[in-house]
């Protein structure tokens, strides 16, 4: 134990946190839980997309990631374009100054090394590169913890991602596909480990028995997404979205015709129009929308369900973690890998080509094996929990010195 007057370790957390994506915030919550349990004297703050939300919800100081507040809006006017350009210069200085104040910066989970959804190189990939380059320049250890990665078609984005990973002091991945993707980009991954997604470290809500109308199974949770394809699908984005929405709506309508209760779930604020469109199209009291503000809220909904059909990656993680039989509307290889790792790889359906009839057949097959699948998920969750204990032990050994546990993590009032 260190002396009482030793300066506490300064830890920063970085990412699109507090910006409306429940999966990103859940990953942050898992890391904060680890820090508070294992390094309670750490002084923690964030550089993030939604500093007001992060400061209020997690009680840590938070700074806005981008100087220009319109960073993620398309700039068409000359003034907006100039402001964005100036913002890139200002952000380089701001990021470097922030990084320099820390001993360690943790990027908690998230798909920060992938472009499976539309992504511009001078958005978050540029921000991540600034972080990692500043860390190398000032001797601050940057850790990419349990992150997702994938092959990237855009050369500028790929270059920024590759150099970000190379400059990081520590890397671990949430699946083998991610590590393989970075190795293929030219990153030395020989010492990089694979662990379950960080959200598997979150507390699991108490189980509740699914219940539906008399004589019928319990409710079905359907997790929807404002899905328009990936970064390489921009030319077909509306076509892909229409196919996804029509197929998902048709599936929900078929469940209602069988008398099933349906709970619509989201994982990001941008998904709400999809919920509204399905409610309008189906127009039944059996279909309701859940208001989830966190992964904990999602898990409570899913724990009370008979089955789950979900699109977003962290919707899948939540459903699998609570042990509810789950069918993935898969939009990327990461979803297929997650389902396979949890022993339910047979239950995937392509989000780009949702076929309501075929999806209903898969769903019925899923429910026929419900009891067996619940046993499988229970066993896989025990393994995931043990692996994440190893992740946090490895992170401590690699980056965080032994600290004085008599101090408390600094929190805002």
């Amino acid at each position: 134990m260190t002396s009482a007057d030793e300066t506490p370790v300064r830890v920063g957390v970085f990412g699109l946190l507090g910006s409306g994506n429940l999966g990103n915030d859940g990953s942050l919550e898992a890391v904060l839980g680890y820090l508070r349990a294992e390094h309670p004297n750490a002084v923690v703050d964030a550089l993030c997309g939604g500093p007001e939300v992060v400061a209020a919800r997690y009680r840590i100081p938070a700074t806005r990631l981008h100087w220009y507040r319109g960073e993620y809006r398309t700039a068409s006017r000359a003034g907006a374009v100039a402001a964005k350009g100036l913002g890139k210069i200002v952000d380089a200085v701001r990021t470097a100054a922030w990084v320099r104040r820390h001993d360690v910066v943790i990027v908690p989970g998230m798909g920060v090394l992938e472009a499976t959804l539309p992504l511009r190189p001078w958005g978050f990939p540029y921000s991540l590169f600034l972080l990692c380059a500043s860390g190398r320049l000032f001797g601050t250890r940057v850790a990419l913890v349990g992150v997702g990665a994938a092959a990237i078609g855009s050369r500028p984005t790929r270059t920024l991602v590759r150099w970000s990973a190379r400059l990081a002091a520590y890397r671990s991945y949430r699946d083998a596909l991610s590590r393989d993707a970075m190795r293929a980009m030219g990153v030395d991954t020989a010492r990089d480990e694979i662990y379950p997604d960080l959200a598997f470290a979150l507390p699991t809500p108490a189980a509740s028995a699914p219940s539906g109308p008399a004589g019928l199974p319990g409710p079905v949770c359907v997790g929807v997404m404002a899905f328009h394809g990936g970064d390489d699908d921009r030319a077909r984005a509306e076509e892909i979205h229409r196919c996804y929405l029509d197929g998902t709506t048709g599936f929900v309508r078929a469940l209602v015709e069988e008398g099933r209760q349906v709970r619509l779930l989201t994982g990001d604020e941008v998904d709400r129009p999809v919920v509204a469109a399905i409610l309008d199209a189906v127009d039944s009291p059996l279909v309701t929308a859940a208001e989830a503000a966190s992964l904990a809220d999602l898990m409570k909904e899913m724990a009370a369900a008979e089955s789950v059909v979900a699109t977003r990656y962290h919707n899948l993680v939540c459903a699998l973690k609570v042990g509810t039989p789950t069918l993935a509307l898969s939009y990327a290889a990461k979803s297929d890998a997650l389902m396979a790792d949890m022993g339910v790889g047979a239950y995937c359906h392509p989000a780009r080509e949702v076929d309501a009839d075929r999806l209903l057949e898969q769903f019925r097959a899923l429910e026929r094996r419900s009891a067996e699948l619940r046993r499988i998920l229970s066993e896989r969750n025990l393994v995931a929990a043990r692996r994440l204990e190893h992740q946090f032990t490895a992170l401590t050994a690699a980056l965080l010195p032994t600290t004085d546990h008599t101090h408390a993590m600094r929190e805002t009032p």
Side-chain angles (χ1 to χ4, degrees):
M1 183 175 292
T2 58
S3 62
D5 60 351
E6 182 171 327
T7 302
V9 63
R10 301 162 299 176
V11 181
V13 288
F14 176 94
L16 294 178
L17 310 165
S19 300
N21 184 285
L22 302 186
N24 292 358
D25 291 355
S27 299
L28 169 63
E29 186 177 343
V31 166
L32 290 178
Y34 149 71
L35 290 171
R36 286 173 170 144
E38 300 299 327
H39 303 278
N41 74 325
V43 178
V44 181
D45 73 310
L47 184 62
C48 59
E52 298 85 2
V53 172
V54 169
R57 183 176 295 168
Y58 302 109
R59 295 174 297 146
I60 59 174
T63 303
R64 186 171 298 280
L65 179 59
H66 299 292
W67 172 79
Y68 178 56
R69 289 177 178 258
E71 174 62 34
Y72 292 105
R73 295 194 297 267
T74 300
S76 55
R77 295 182 178 179
V81 172
K84 267 198 172 186
L86 176 61
K88 301 305 176 188
I89 300 171
V90 174
D91 285 346
V93 177
R94 292 174 70 252
T95 301
W98 182 81
V99 169
R100 192 174 187 177
R101 298 197 298 268
H102 297 83
D103 301 301
V104 177
V105 174
I106 295 174
V107 180
M110 305 177 286
V112 297
L113 303 178
E114 63 182 54
T116 52
L117 296 176
L119 184 69
R120 299 293 188 189
W122 304 114
F124 187 76
Y126 174 73
S127 299
L128 184 66
F129 172 75
L130 291 179
L131 171 78
C132 296
S134 297
R136 182 62 66 92
L137 178 64
F138 296 117
T140 299
R141 293 159 290 180
V142 174
L144 309 180
V145 182
V147 298
I152 297 173
S154 164
R155 180 175 292 181
T157 303
R158 186 170 63 248
T159 300
L160 288 167
V161 164
R162 178 173 62 245
W163 276 105
S164 296
R166 284 176 173 174
L167 292 169
Y170 175 92
R171 296 179 299 269
S172 65
Y173 307 99
R174 62 189 180 191
D175 53 46
L177 289 174
S178 296
R179 185 170 66 180
D180 292 346
M182 296 315 299
R183 183 183 298 122
M185 285 188 213
V187 176
D188 181 2
T189 62
R191 291 185 289 181
D192 298 353
E193 296 291 337
I194 299 167
Y195 299 99
D197 188 87
L198 289 171
F200 280 103
L202 294 173
T204 304
S208 57
S211 60
L216 288 174
V220 180
C221 282
V222 178
V224 301
M225 179 179 179
F227 180 61
H228 294 78
D231 201 45
D232 298 329
D233 297 318
R234 293 178 184 271
R236 298 180 53 237
E238 287 309 312
E239 174 191 345
I240 290 171
H241 180 65
R242 176 50 54 188
C243 179
Y244 170 81
L245 181 58
D246 289 349
T248 305
T249 301
F251 173 68
V252 171
R253 185 179 289 112
L255 291 177
V256 168
E257 289 172 355
E258 295 180 357
R260 298 295 295 271
Q261 292 178 325
V262 177
R263 289 285 277 171
L264 299 177
L265 306 175
T266 62
D268 194 296
E269 291 178 359
V270 300
D271 301 332
R272 290 179 180 177
V274 179
V275 170
I278 294 174
L279 288 173
D280 183 62
V282 178
D283 190 21
S284 166
L286 290 174
V287 185
T288 54
E291 291 291 333
S294 67
L295 293 191
D297 291 343
L298 285 178
M299 284 191 275
K300 288 177 185 176
E301 292 281 348
M302 292 169 168
E306 189 78 32
S307 306
V308 174
V309 177
T311 311
R312 281 197 178 273
Y313 182 83
H314 280 99
N315 277 22
L316 293 174
V317 170
C318 287
L320 297 169
K321 179 171 170 55
V322 299
T324 302
T326 302
L327 198 160
L329 289 175
S330 176
Y331 67 87
K334 63 183 179 182
S335 299
D336 297 336
L338 171 65
M339 296 291 284
D341 287 346
M342 295 300 288
V344 289
Y347 300 101
C348 294
H349 188 96
R352 282 175 175 78
E353 301 171 350
V354 179
D355 182 306
D357 293 335
R358 187 157 56 89
L359 180 58
L360 191 60
E361 290 178 8
Q362 288 181 280
F363 176 77
R364 288 170 175 158
L366 175 86
E367 291 210 316
R368 284 195 294 269
R369 293 183 61 201
S370 180
E372 177 189 356
L373 294 176
R374 286 178 181 273
R375 287 194 297 272
I376 291 171
L377 291 175
S378 178
E379 295 168 359
R380 297 297 173 102
N381 273 303
L382 291 175
V383 174
R386 288 196 294 268
R387 289 290 296 149
L388 280 170
E389 289 177 3
H390 294 160
Q391 162 70 98
F392 293 133
T393 299
L395 188 60
T396 292
L399 296 175
L400 294 163
T402 302
T403 55
D404 183 0
H405 284 61
T406 64
H407 293 280
M409 180 187 298
R410 185 177 71 182
E411 298 176 345
T412 56

